[in-house]
Amino acid sequence: MQTDIPLREAVRNFQPNDEWKLEQGLAGVELHLLDQTRSKEVNGDIPDWDGETSSAKRKFDDKLAADELAGWDGYVEWEDYPDKKRRAHEILVSQEFPPPPEFQLGPIPGTNPVLEGVRWKLWHRAIGGRLAVVPEESWAIVLKEKSREMLHLLQFPYNGEPPKRLVTVESITPNPLHFIRNHGGIPSIEPSAWFLRLDGLVKEPKKLTLSDLQDETRFPRMEKLVTIQCSGTRRIEQIALYAGEGDEMINAPWAEGAIGTAKYVGVSLKKVIKYCGGLIDNAKHVELVGADTYFKMNEVMNYAISVPYSKVKAHEVMLVWEMNGEPLPKIHGAPVRAVVMGYIGARSVKWLYRVTAIPEPSRAPVQSREYLYFNQQVGKHNQRWTDGIQIQEMPVSSAIMSPWNKQVVVHEGKIEVKGWAYSGGGRWPERVEVSADGGFSWYAVPAENLSQKHKFAWRTWHMWLPCDVEGWIEIVVRCWDNSLNTQPIEVRNAWNWGLHVTSSAHRIRVYSVNKAKELTRARLGEFEKRDVSFVPITRPTEFPYMSWEEYEEYFKRNGPRDVED
């Protein structure tokens, strides 16, 4: 391990350190009271910030990992140079690196960033050259382009999501609040210098510039509202039940915010392949390659995945350069990224620079060795890549954004519940149901309380959930899509070694305080009169619950506490 390198750079910590633990109920003693009889939960605004950051000092050599092209800052080409990949492998196997941090069997750090990615930083620095400063440059871009409200699950490669209170504030996610799941550093590629290579089993291999793609005489323009969801969304629930595979980047402890919806502008990949004369021979898949550098088992490569050509042929793979009316941000893959509708986010390659037609699914590790859904008896003791189902389309899922787990909720017989629902593969949420009794009785969210229906997008929702019961209750949400798919009720049914696709019904435990009940209303008045906080509920009440006169009068009316015969 290189001891001369500091393990943690300075961090601008805007979001409270404990908000991550608060919203997950991991620090229930600090949860604020949610009094829905007085005011609605404050959702918060997107704060203004200038995004100014100091640029990292650029110290590197050009021996192995050099910028490949002018105007492509941070892009190192690996796939065209087998010898360079071999030399990188030799460097990595000659050194020792620390193990991944423990965040499953031990407590999750109460910091923001939650995890740092020390190993990934050291791998980049070990290769040296251009990669040595990529972690610092990438973090500077995070601070410039992302809201200061973001929860930084992993500093490098950057993984971040908005806090629950901001996930569904708008049905279209603002760019600064859209989650990010990166697999490497963030290249800075000039739009005027960018081009796309189309090769492999196409009739006429070509290079196309951004201006070429934007020429509407060649490629009809598309605009599409698309939800992108990480397959690790709600992973924290699986971790809370049973530990699984623990790579800090591949298995980051995502909560319910690893999902976002944006309006993208671009062109259909199908049209671009047709412009190249179409596919030839036995081409059945399309490999998409990004300019970021990826590490796997002491191997170095460019990030790559593949999708079936049938998906491309249906015009469900876009090449996009605009997001929510703005040029695609660097952190989201500028100048051009792929958007694969209805698939897990890992297939929507950022910083796209190469499209290759191939006969079989890619052997790249992200496609062949990761994002696999295993049987529950498969684990560290016996796992094989062939045992897992390749995760492509996302199943139906949903989540509660408010209230928070273990929160005390004061209400008057109805609890306001908010959240999102989504189904991949071109299916859409048709009905959302919420239960206040752990999943025995279900109430449908009124149709007018669901956001507009789209083929490849989520629906945000809210409702007033009837709840007469007081004390601890379990609120559960499930979604039915238009194919009548729904969610398993318990997280145990969704658990798998890779901790992917937490498709079970989302449940939270809240402490119900029904102010419509006379005794409860009076007791809350006592707390207010004495200026004593009602939370945390575990703190003993330090004033008498009733007078001795009331005590004696009760037993006069209802008989003694004990009887002799």
Side-chain angles (χ1 to χ4, degrees), residues 210 213-214 221 265-267 319-322 326-328 335-336:
L210 181 56
L213 292 184
Q214 292 176 337
R221 193 157 297 187
V265 172
V267 297
L319 309 182
V320 307
W321 56 79
E322 184 180 300
E326 300 175 357
L328 194 65
V336 174

Side-chain angles (χ1 to χ4, degrees), residues 374-554:
F374 293 108
N375 175 274
Q376 293 185 347
Q377 295 193 53
V378 173
K380 190 172 185 177
H381 58 289
N382 65 352
Q383 67 175 352
R384 298 175 300 179
W385 301 322
T386 52
D387 294 328
I389 300 171
Q390 193 176 74
I391 305 170
Q392 299 279 61
E393 294 183 356
M394 284 299 294
V396 61
S397 59
S398 59
I400 297 166
M401 296 297 101
S402 177
W404 293 352
N405 192 34
K406 298 184 182 179
Q407 193 160 34
V408 179
V409 182
V410 179
H411 59 94
E412 292 179 323
K414 292 183 178 180
I415 296 176
E416 187 179 25
V417 188
K418 303 176 183 178
W420 57 259
Y422 173 68
S423 189
R427 297 171 295 275
W428 56 86
E430 194 63 48
R431 181 194 300 156
V432 178
E433 297 176 333
V434 187
S435 169
D437 57 9
F440 186 80
S441 306
W442 296 93
Y443 294 87
V445 174
E448 61 270 22
N449 292 355
L450 285 156
S451 63
Q452 190 175 351
K453 194 184 300 183
H454 293 274
K455 188 174 183 181
F456 291 103
W458 70 2
R459 301 184 77 180
T460 58
W461 55 268
H462 70 276
M463 75 172 299
W464 288 94
L465 177 66
C467 181
D468 184 67
V469 176
E470 295 192 284
W472 285 109
I473 64 170
E474 280 198 348
I475 300 178
V476 191
V477 63
R478 70 180 178 189
C479 173
W480 296 82
D481 69 15
N482 61 302
S483 296
L484 293 184
N485 298 309
T486 192
Q487 303 171 249
I489 296 300
E490 300 291 343
V491 69
R492 176 70 178 88
N493 302 123
W495 187 91
N496 62 99
W497 176 246
L499 305 173
H500 291 293
V501 191
T502 310
S503 59
S504 53
H506 186 216
R507 59 181 63 231
I508 61 170
R509 297 176 176 89
V510 302
Y511 193 82
S512 167
V513 180
N514 190 347
K515 203 172 180 179
K517 297 181 181 291
E518 182 179 354
L519 181 59
T520 299
R521 186 167 57 252
R523 179 60 51 82
L524 291 174
E526 282 289 313
F527 276 91
E528 184 174 356
K529 182 175 67 176
R530 297 169 186 270
D531 196 26
V532 175
S533 175
F534 189 73
V535 293
I537 57 167
T538 52
R539 184 176 296 160
T541 303
E542 299 294 345
F543 57 84
Y545 311 146
M546 59 194 309
S547 69
W548 284 114
E549 289 79 7
E550 292 172 325
Y551 183 91
E552 291 171 357
E553 179 61 28
Y554 175 87

